[in-house]
Amino acid sequence: MADPEQPALSDAEVVGEKSTQEANPRQDIGIVTWILTLVGLYLGALLYGLDTTIAANVQSPVYQTFHDIQNLPWIGIGFPMASVAGILFIGQLYGKYNIKVLMLASIAIFEGGSALCGGAPNSAALVVGRVIAGVGGAGMYLGALSYISVFCTPRELPLYNALIGLSWGIGAILGPVIGGAFSDSKATWRWAFYINLPLAGLLSPVYFFVFPSFKPMPGISVLQKLRTFDWVGTVLNGAIFVLVMIALTFSGSTYKWNSGSAIALWVIWGVVLLGFALQQYFAIFTTRENRIFPVQFLASKDLILLYICTACAATANATTLYYIPLFFSFTHGDSAIQVAVRLLPFIMVFVVFVMIGGGTLPIFGRYMPYYTIGSALSLIGSALMFTIRSDTAPSKIYGYEVLIAAGTGLMFQNAYAVAAEKVDDKDKPNAIGFINTSQIGTIALALSIAACLFENLGFQFLQNTLVGSGLPDAALRSALAGADSQLLSGIDAHTAELIVDTVAFTISRIFAMGISASALAFCCSLLMKREKLHLSMSAAM
């Protein structure tokens, strides 16, 4: 029934106060409307993935524009940091307000942040734009998942979720390529961010006039809903992710690990984390029903295992995605386009196996084998990547990529459908936010940890390799900035070769994260139930 306080909706919209017992949640939506809606959702997920990784190849030209190295790491970190800091809050919004309105607001925020990035007059403005875009991007991604959960049957859900994950994955894989291509062209790095504007503008009629509406809590006023939010928990939850990324970014590079500043950052983070845990457990300044973190999920072994396995898949996938291009850039001097070719095996296999996972889950119903087989493949691939050196044949690396892509593809997206099936209807938005925190949040954390390892281990390895060379510490750190750094172009060929070999070795050490994550996922998969989910067409979300 439509909300009597709202004006009548057009034929392109449908009010979402549906009974969860209806067999067809899209019975009032035409096939053309649904197809156009899906196109809009998939584009939004793709743009979100694109911006998650697009900074990988634009940081060097940005530095050449602004000459501000202090803000440089935050161009990459700011976007995922803002996303994960707001995920749970945005998830609660989608559980209370009209998802079409929230989706439109998220797109506007994302595009506004992208415009600020493209036109940034200085590095600080660019970082602010990345943070704003990160919030909007998280809203777009959660909005896509919310639309799918509302308008799809449980049997359809795994496949549609896989397509959302596929769109994000393609965007994330293409991000460094597109960013590098624009940076190398006359358009400059600014169009790596401006590109979001015409793409979203092209589908703006779909967003405004075609997207269906759904109101999760009809009959409750906006102010009444605002009073139910866990505002203290929201602030503490966001602070946890912001502080840990600040600590990881500054420790070892800006501040020595044993310095008072580094220790203070980690102590403050620990205090905030403990405060959040206590606030949520005892429901301080909120209620048990309204607290931002679904503490009740911690009593479910199934949900915890799904969370861990999704996080492990995200870790192995993200580190491979970021450091394979860097490896070829150092060892072969590849351009952005050449890196794209190197990533084709990873891209294609990941796409195929995400689709296999989502498409076959409703048929077989048993989710445990996907995680067991997927983690085993990812473990083997990551272990092999740990052995690569600067002279390793590219064909071998392609094979290792394929193993990681297949394994992480099987694990990457299915938890959304499985978790939604295991919770009550009222907890489905929380389940989406819970798994999304695992997936996107872990990508942000994994990349921060990997960057910290790369910078600190790389600096240590270069010091050991070039002992007695007389090169200053600043010059050694600049060698980690890219294969075209000033250090590499200004020294003799033998020393340059030593540096390339050392950096390649450092990159291989990063894959220890994939080994650890995949091994943990394999152990967790063995603890999963051997149950079969009955995803029938009879019950809608």
Side-chain angles (χ1 to χ4, degrees):
M1 179 183 297
D3 187 345
E5 297 180 0
Q6 298 294 328
L9 298 171
S10 67
D11 291 338
E13 295 181 318
V14 59
V15 177
E17 295 85 350
K18 293 182 172 72
S19 167
T20 59
Q21 300 302 315
E22 290 181 359
N24 181 10
R26 297 192 301 277
Q27 63 180 7
D28 297 324
I29 301 177
I31 183 65
V32 174
T33 297
W34 180 238
I35 291 174
L36 289 174
T37 298
L38 290 176
V39 171
L41 296 178
Y42 296 150
L43 176 65
L46 187 145
L47 291 180
Y48 180 46
L50 191 75
D51 265 47
T52 301
T53 61
I54 204 165
N57 279 348
V58 304
Q59 295 187 57
S60 179
V62 166
Y63 174 72
Q64 294 173 8
T65 301
F66 298 128
H67 301 287
D68 186 355
I69 199 167
Q70 290 185 340
N71 286 333
L72 198 60
W74 294 102
I75 297 169
I77 296 173
F79 186 90
M81 180 189 71
S83 294
V84 66
I87 280 175
L88 291 180
F89 176 68
I90 296 170
Q92 284 201 337
L93 287 173
Y94 275 105
K96 298 176 187 295
Y97 294 99
N98 190 321
I99 61 176
K100 177 176 180 176
V101 174
L102 292 173
M103 191 67 169
L104 291 174
S106 298
I107 294 170
I109 293 171
F110 176 76
E111 295 301 322
S114 298
L116 178 57
C117 289
N122 52 56
S123 63
L126 179 56
V127 172
V128 171
R130 290 286 287 164
V131 170
I132 293 173
V135 173
M140 290 162 56
Y141 190 69
L142 281 175
L145 293 170
S146 297
Y147 263 104
I148 296 303
S149 71
V150 168
F151 291 108
C152 292
T153 66
R155 188 173 182 85
E156 297 170 327
L157 193 58
L159 179 58
Y160 281 109
N161 274 331
L163 289 170
I164 294 293
L166 173 63
S167 301
W168 181 91
I170 292 174
I173 290 169
L174 294 179
V177 178
I178 293 176
F182 275 123
S183 298
D184 293 340
S185 71
K186 294 181 179 180
T188 77
W189 59 265
R190 294 184 182 275
W191 268 95
F193 304 107
Y194 277 142
I195 190 63
N196 294 321
L197 302 179
L199 289 176
L202 184 66
L203 284 181
S204 58
V206 174
Y207 295 137
F208 281 99
F209 305 114
V210 176
F211 266 28
S213 294
F214 178 81
K215 298 172 67 176
M217 300 175 65
I220 301 178
S221 69
V222 173
L223 290 178
Q224 285 177 311
K225 294 175 185 178
L226 285 175
R227 294 191 190 102
T228 65
F229 279 101
D230 178 8
W231 296 106
V232 173
T234 297
V235 173
L236 291 175
N237 176 71
I240 289 171
F241 289 102
V242 172
L243 287 171
V244 73
M245 291 187 192
I246 290 175
L248 285 168
T249 301
F250 287 119
S251 296
S253 55
T254 304
Y255 306 128
K256 293 183 178 180
W257 283 97
N258 59 353
S259 67
S261 299
I263 293 172
L265 283 173
W266 287 106
V267 169
I268 294 171
W269 173 75
V271 170
V272 173
L273 178 62
L274 177 61
F276 178 70
L278 294 174
Q279 188 262 343
Q280 291 294 290
Y281 183 80
F282 293 106
I284 302 171
F285 301 116
T286 186
T287 65
R288 293 185 180 275
E289 294 76 19
N290 294 325
R291 52 192 172 189
I292 191 169
F293 185 83
V295 178
Q296 67 273 20
F297 289 177
L298 299 181
S300 169
K301 184 184 79 171
D302 298 337
L303 293 178
I304 292 175
L305 292 175
L306 288 170
Y307 184 100
I308 294 173
C309 286
T310 302
C312 291
T315 298
N317 186 278
T319 51
T320 305
L321 173 64
Y322 252 75
Y323 286 93
I324 285 293
L326 188 61
F327 177 85
F328 281 115
S329 177
F330 267 102
T331 60
H332 292 73
D334 284 356
S335 66
I337 301 302
Q338 290 172 320
V339 166
V341 176
R342 305 282 195 187
L343 278 175
L344 279 177
F346 189 89
I347 294 171
M348 293 186 295
V349 174
F350 178 75
V351 166
V352 168
F353 276 82
V354 167
M355 294 304 300
I356 289 175
T360 59
L361 180 61
I363 298 173
F364 297 110
R366 301 185 187 277
Y367 56 90
M368 179 263 197
Y370 292 88
Y371 293 99
T372 303
I373 297 171
S375 58
L377 291 173
S378 179
L379 176 58
I380 296 170
S382 297
L384 291 170
M385 288 299 298
F386 192 76
T387 69
I388 63 174
R389 299 295 182 266
S390 61
D391 59 352
T392 300
S395 59
K396 290 184 178 181
I397 297 178
Y398 299 153
Y400 307 160
E401 285 181 31
V402 164
L403 290 171
I404 298 174
T408 58
L410 287 176
M411 297 187 289
F412 199 75
Q413 202 73 4
N414 277 349
Y416 286 105
V418 178
E421 181 68 14
K422 286 181 169 291
V423 301
D424 297 333
D425 285 345
K426 63 182 180 63
D427 266 336
K428 291 189 188 300
N430 286 331
I432 292 175
F434 185 69
I435 299 300
N436 197 239
T437 301
S438 170
Q439 186 184 77
I440 305 302
T442 303
I443 288 173
L445 289 174
L447 292 179
S448 295
I449 294 171
C452 183
L453 289 173
F454 178 68
E455 185 165 339
N456 286 280
L457 288 178
F459 178 69
Q460 179 182 337
F461 293 157
L462 284 173
Q463 277 188 318
N464 295 337
T465 300
L466 302 176
V467 61
S469 66
L471 293 172
D473 290 352
L476 296 181
R477 292 195 182 278
S478 74
L480 299 171
D484 58 348
S485 68
Q486 293 181 355
L487 176 62
L488 291 180
S489 61
I491 59 178
D492 63 90
H494 175 68
T495 304
E497 183 179 354
L498 286 177
I499 291 174
V500 170
D501 290 344
T502 302
V503 174
F505 177 77
T506 303
I507 293 173
S508 73
R509 302 302 91 181
I510 301 299
F511 288 94
M513 292 178 60
I515 295 174
S516 303
S518 301
L520 177 59
F522 183 80
C523 293
C524 289
S525 74
L526 299 180
L527 298 176
M528 289 180 172
K529 292 179 180 177
R530 275 68 169 172
E531 63 182 343
K532 182 176 182 178
L533 297 179
H534 298 284
L535 300 173
S536 66
M537 296 290 287
S538 60
M541 291 287 184

mmCIF file of all heavy atoms in Angstrom, residues 306-322:
data_model
loop_
_atom_site.group_PDB
_atom_site.id
_atom_site.type_symbol
_atom_site.label_atom_id
_atom_site.label_comp_id
_atom_site.label_asym_id
_atom_site.label_seq_id
_atom_site.Cartn_x
_atom_site.Cartn_y
_atom_site.Cartn_z
ATOM 1 N N LEU A 306 31.336 -16.811 7.551
ATOM 2 C CA LEU A 306 31.120 -16.131 6.277
ATOM 3 C C LEU A 306 31.866 -14.798 6.237
ATOM 4 O O LEU A 306 32.451 -14.422 5.211
ATOM 5 C CB LEU A 306 29.623 -15.905 6.050
ATOM 6 C CG LEU A 306 28.780 -17.133 5.715
ATOM 7 C CD1 LEU A 306 27.302 -16.782 5.772
ATOM 8 C CD2 LEU A 306 29.147 -17.690 4.338
ATOM 9 N N TYR A 307 31.840 -14.082 7.356
ATOM 10 C CA TYR A 307 32.539 -12.800 7.444
ATOM 11 C C TYR A 307 34.038 -12.997 7.228
ATOM 12 O O TYR A 307 34.665 -12.287 6.436
ATOM 13 C CB TYR A 307 32.285 -12.184 8.822
ATOM 14 C CG TYR A 307 32.863 -10.800 9.014
ATOM 15 C CD1 TYR A 307 32.056 -9.677 8.895
ATOM 16 C CD2 TYR A 307 34.214 -10.607 9.329
ATOM 17 C CE1 TYR A 307 32.573 -8.392 9.086
ATOM 18 C CE2 TYR A 307 34.740 -9.341 9.506
ATOM 19 C CZ TYR A 307 33.921 -8.242 9.386
ATOM 20 O OH TYR A 307 34.433 -6.981 9.557
ATOM 21 N N ILE A 308 34.610 -13.978 7.928
ATOM 22 C CA ILE A 308 36.053 -14.207 7.840
ATOM 23 C C ILE A 308 36.451 -14.634 6.430
ATOM 24 O O ILE A 308 37.433 -14.139 5.861
ATOM 25 C CB ILE A 308 36.488 -15.265 8.873
ATOM 26 C CG1 ILE A 308 36.297 -14.729 10.298
ATOM 27 C CG2 ILE A 308 37.949 -15.654 8.658
ATOM 28 C CD1 ILE A 308 36.551 -15.765 11.380
ATOM 29 N N CYS A 309 35.696 -15.551 5.845
ATOM 30 C CA CYS A 309 36.050 -16.047 4.512
ATOM 31 C C CYS A 309 35.933 -14.949 3.452
ATOM 32 O O CYS A 309 36.755 -14.874 2.531
ATOM 33 C CB CYS A 309 35.160 -17.235 4.141
ATOM 34 S SG CYS A 309 35.590 -18.753 5.025
ATOM 35 N N THR A 310 34.921 -14.102 3.573
ATOM 36 C CA THR A 310 34.787 -12.981 2.641
ATOM 37 C C THR A 310 35.957 -12.016 2.791
ATOM 38 O O THR A 310 36.513 -11.529 1.796
ATOM 39 C CB THR A 310 33.465 -12.243 2.877
ATOM 40 O OG1 THR A 310 32.373 -13.151 2.719
ATOM 41 C CG2 THR A 310 33.296 -11.094 1.900
ATOM 42 N N ALA A 311 36.362 -11.765 4.033
ATOM 43 C CA ALA A 311 37.501 -10.884 4.283
ATOM 44 C C ALA A 311 38.781 -11.477 3.715
ATOM 45 O O ALA A 311 39.618 -10.758 3.137
ATOM 46 C CB ALA A 311 37.654 -10.642 5.782
ATOM 47 N N CYS A 312 38.946 -12.772 3.844
ATOM 48 C CA CYS A 312 40.148 -13.429 3.325
ATOM 49 C C CYS A 312 40.194 -13.364 1.802
ATOM 50 O O CYS A 312 41.253 -13.126 1.202
ATOM 51 C CB CYS A 312 40.188 -14.879 3.790
ATOM 52 S SG CYS A 312 40.478 -15.073 5.568
ATOM 53 N N ALA A 313 39.047 -13.588 1.167
ATOM 54 C CA ALA A 313 38.988 -13.496 -0.296
ATOM 55 C C ALA A 313 39.323 -12.085 -0.757
ATOM 56 O O ALA A 313 40.050 -11.885 -1.744
ATOM 57 C CB ALA A 313 37.602 -13.897 -0.795
ATOM 58 N N ALA A 314 38.793 -11.080 -0.058
ATOM 59 C CA ALA A 314 39.065 -9.688 -0.409
ATOM 60 C C ALA A 314 40.540 -9.359 -0.263
ATOM 61 O O ALA A 314 41.116 -8.631 -1.091
ATOM 62 C CB ALA A 314 38.218 -8.757 0.467
ATOM 63 N N THR A 315 41.180 -9.889 0.775
ATOM 64 C CA THR A 315 42.605 -9.635 0.995
ATOM 65 C C THR A 315 43.458 -10.199 -0.126
ATOM 66 O O THR A 315 44.312 -9.510 -0.700
ATOM 67 C CB THR A 315 43.047 -10.246 2.337
ATOM 68 O OG1 THR A 315 42.335 -9.618 3.408
ATOM 69 C CG2 THR A 315 44.539 -10.061 2.559
ATOM 70 N N ALA A 316 43.241 -11.476 -0.447
ATOM 71 C CA ALA A 316 44.037 -12.122 -1.494
ATOM 72 C C ALA A 316 43.808 -11.461 -2.846
ATOM 73 O O ALA A 316 44.750 -11.272 -3.637
ATOM 74 C CB ALA A 316 43.708 -13.610 -1.562
ATOM 75 N N ASN A 317 42.570 -11.091 -3.126
ATOM 76 C CA ASN A 317 42.246 -10.479 -4.406
ATOM 77 C C ASN A 317 42.848 -9.088 -4.525
ATOM 78 O O ASN A 317 43.451 -8.739 -5.549
ATOM 79 C CB ASN A 317 40.732 -10.418 -4.579
ATOM 80 C CG ASN A 317 40.307 -9.926 -5.941
ATOM 81 O OD1 ASN A 317 40.265 -8.735 -6.187
ATOM 82 N ND2 ASN A 317 39.994 -10.852 -6.845
ATOM 83 N N ALA A 318 42.697 -8.263 -3.485
ATOM 84 C CA ALA A 318 43.146 -6.873 -3.547
ATOM 85 C C ALA A 318 44.657 -6.767 -3.651
ATOM 86 O O ALA A 318 45.182 -5.944 -4.412
ATOM 87 C CB ALA A 318 42.644 -6.112 -2.324
ATOM 88 N N THR A 319 45.384 -7.587 -2.885
ATOM 89 C CA THR A 319 46.843 -7.504 -2.944
ATOM 90 C C THR A 319 47.364 -7.927 -4.318
ATOM 91 O O THR A 319 48.314 -7.351 -4.844
ATOM 92 C CB THR A 319 47.480 -8.373 -1.849
ATOM 93 O OG1 THR A 319 46.923 -9.694 -1.887
ATOM 94 C CG2 THR A 319 47.242 -7.769 -0.475
ATOM 95 N N THR A 320 46.731 -8.939 -4.906
ATOM 96 C CA THR A 320 47.127 -9.354 -6.254
ATOM 97 C C THR A 320 46.839 -8.258 -7.269
ATOM 98 O O THR A 320 47.670 -7.934 -8.125
ATOM 99 C CB THR A 320 46.388 -10.643 -6.660
ATOM 100 O OG1 THR A 320 46.613 -11.653 -5.683
ATOM 101 C CG2 THR A 320 46.861 -11.135 -8.023
ATOM 102 N N LEU A 321 45.660 -7.672 -7.158
ATOM 103 C CA LEU A 321 45.243 -6.638 -8.092
ATOM 104 C C LEU A 321 46.181 -5.437 -8.069
ATOM 105 O O LEU A 321 46.505 -4.859 -9.109
ATOM 106 C CB LEU A 321 43.812 -6.210 -7.741
ATOM 107 C CG LEU A 321 43.221 -5.020 -8.485
ATOM 108 C CD1 LEU A 321 43.102 -5.345 -9.963
ATOM 109 C CD2 LEU A 321 41.860 -4.667 -7.907
ATOM 110 N N TYR A 322 46.635 -5.054 -6.895
ATOM 111 C CA TYR A 322 47.476 -3.865 -6.774
ATOM 112 C C TYR A 322 48.937 -4.122 -7.118
ATOM 113 O O TYR A 322 49.609 -3.284 -7.735
ATOM 114 C CB TYR A 322 47.387 -3.325 -5.342
ATOM 115 C CG TYR A 322 46.598 -2.047 -5.229
ATOM 116 C CD1 TYR A 322 45.215 -2.051 -5.317
ATOM 117 C CD2 TYR A 322 47.234 -0.831 -5.046
ATOM 118 C CE1 TYR A 322 44.483 -0.878 -5.218
ATOM 119 C CE2 TYR A 322 46.514 0.354 -4.942
ATOM 120 C CZ TYR A 322 45.132 0.321 -5.020
ATOM 121 O OH TYR A 322 44.411 1.484 -4.932
#
